[in-house]
Amino acid sequence: MISVMGLLIALIVVLWNFLAIETQFLKISFDFVPKMIIGILLGPFWSAIGALLADIIGNTLFLKAPFFIGFTLNKLIEGYFYGAFFYKKNINWRNTILCTLSITILINFILTPFWLSIMYNVPIDSLAIWIPRLIKTAIVFPIQVVLIHKIGNSLPIDRISRSFRHNEINITENNTE
């Protein structure tokens, strides 16, 4: 379980820091995929911790802008949502759309503009903040919904979960001997 989480955290760091499209007010990345996988496999607490660790590691190793705790809070909340919507639940269109919509509204339309306004001393109603964000959402939202649904349903979740439980049982048996 720890090694799987470590690999997924590393994948988040790579996707966010090297394979993203980035401007001063906007960043597009596919780092939601490994966050969603952590949420499916390990639940809200561990997906929040994984997203938090990925953000801290990425900022420590590859800092491109001044560190701001608000964006780290965004990552923690985003990770939590993936676990809350997908852990031990069906990955159906309803859950996928609700999860993506919740993250989009809370993170992309409320918290991130607020953090950008604080960081860059730009009015919250500035078009520089909102126009790229609205264009990004119009393009990325449907792509994200389809990818989460397709990838989430193609993962062998039952087999992986059984493997985690089997390893826990073996560890427990070895510790009692």
Side-chain angles (χ1 to χ4, degrees), residues 98-161:
L98 285 175
C99 178
T100 308
L101 188 62
S102 299
I103 290 169
T104 299
I105 290 170
L106 182 61
I107 305 293
N108 297 349
F109 288 149
I110 296 173
L111 293 176
T112 298
F114 182 66
W115 305 141
L116 289 171
S117 175
I118 291 171
M119 270 185 79
Y120 295 111
N121 199 21
V122 175
I124 193 87
D125 61 350
S126 170
L127 293 178
I129 291 176
W130 287 102
I131 288 179
R133 194 150 310 290
L134 292 169
I135 293 170
K136 171 192 172 184
T137 300
I139 295 168
V140 172
F141 186 86
I143 294 169
Q144 192 169 347
V145 167
V146 169
L147 282 176
I148 288 172
H149 187 267
K150 296 297 180 193
I151 293 170
N153 282 307
S154 67
L155 293 172
I157 301 301
D158 291 338
R159 192 177 79 200
I160 296 169
S161 296

Side-chain angles (χ1 to χ4, degrees), residues 42-54:
L42 304 174
F45 176 79
W46 288 112
S47 58
I49 296 299
L52 175 76
L53 289 173

Side-chain angles (χ1 to χ4, degrees), residues 1-175:
M1 185 172 79
I2 292 170
S3 61
V4 168
M5 187 162 168
L7 289 171
L8 290 169
I9 288 170
L11 185 57
I12 294 168
V13 171
V14 168
L15 289 172
W16 184 252
N17 289 290
F18 298 111
L19 301 174
I21 301 166
E22 184 173 7
T23 69
Q24 182 179 8
F25 291 107
L26 187 66
K27 191 166 191 173
I28 298 173
S29 170
F30 289 97
D31 69 323
F32 64 88
V33 174
K35 288 178 193 169
M36 179 239 351
I37 294 170
I38 294 173
I40 291 170
L41 294 174
L42 304 174
F45 176 79
W46 288 112
S47 58
I49 296 299
L52 175 76
L53 289 173
D55 188 66
I56 291 169
I57 292 166
N59 280 321
T60 302
L61 297 176
F62 311 107
L63 188 62
K64 295 177 184 175
F67 176 78
F68 187 75
I69 193 70
F71 295 119
T72 301
L73 177 65
N74 284 3
K75 299 300 181 184
L76 179 89
I77 294 168
E78 185 181 0
Y80 177 83
F81 274 132
Y82 286 119
F85 276 95
F86 298 127
Y87 184 60
K88 294 184 179 180
K89 295 179 181 158
N90 290 332
I91 302 167
N92 54 33
W93 288 108
R94 180 184 168 275
N95 284 351
T96 304
I97 291 169
L98 285 175
C99 178
T100 308
L101 188 62
S102 299
I103 290 169
T104 299
I105 290 170
L106 182 61
I107 305 293
N108 297 349
F109 288 149
I110 296 173
L111 293 176
T112 298
F114 182 66
W115 305 141
L116 289 171
S117 175
I118 291 171
M119 270 185 79
Y120 295 111
N121 199 21
V122 175
I124 193 87
D125 61 350
S126 170
L127 293 178
I129 291 176
W130 287 102
I131 288 179
R133 194 150 310 290
L134 292 169
I135 293 170
K136 171 192 172 184
T137 300
I139 295 168
V140 172
F141 186 86
I143 294 169
Q144 192 169 347
V145 167
V146 169
L147 282 176
I148 288 172
H149 187 267
K150 296 297 180 193
I151 293 170
N153 282 307
S154 67
L155 293 172
I157 301 301
D158 291 338
R159 192 177 79 200
I160 296 169
S161 296
R162 276 194 311 269
S163 173
F164 285 164
R165 284 192 302 274
H166 177 74
N167 289 334
E168 283 178 12
I169 292 168
N170 286 341
I171 291 169
T172 305
E173 288 173 357
N174 290 337
N175 288 339

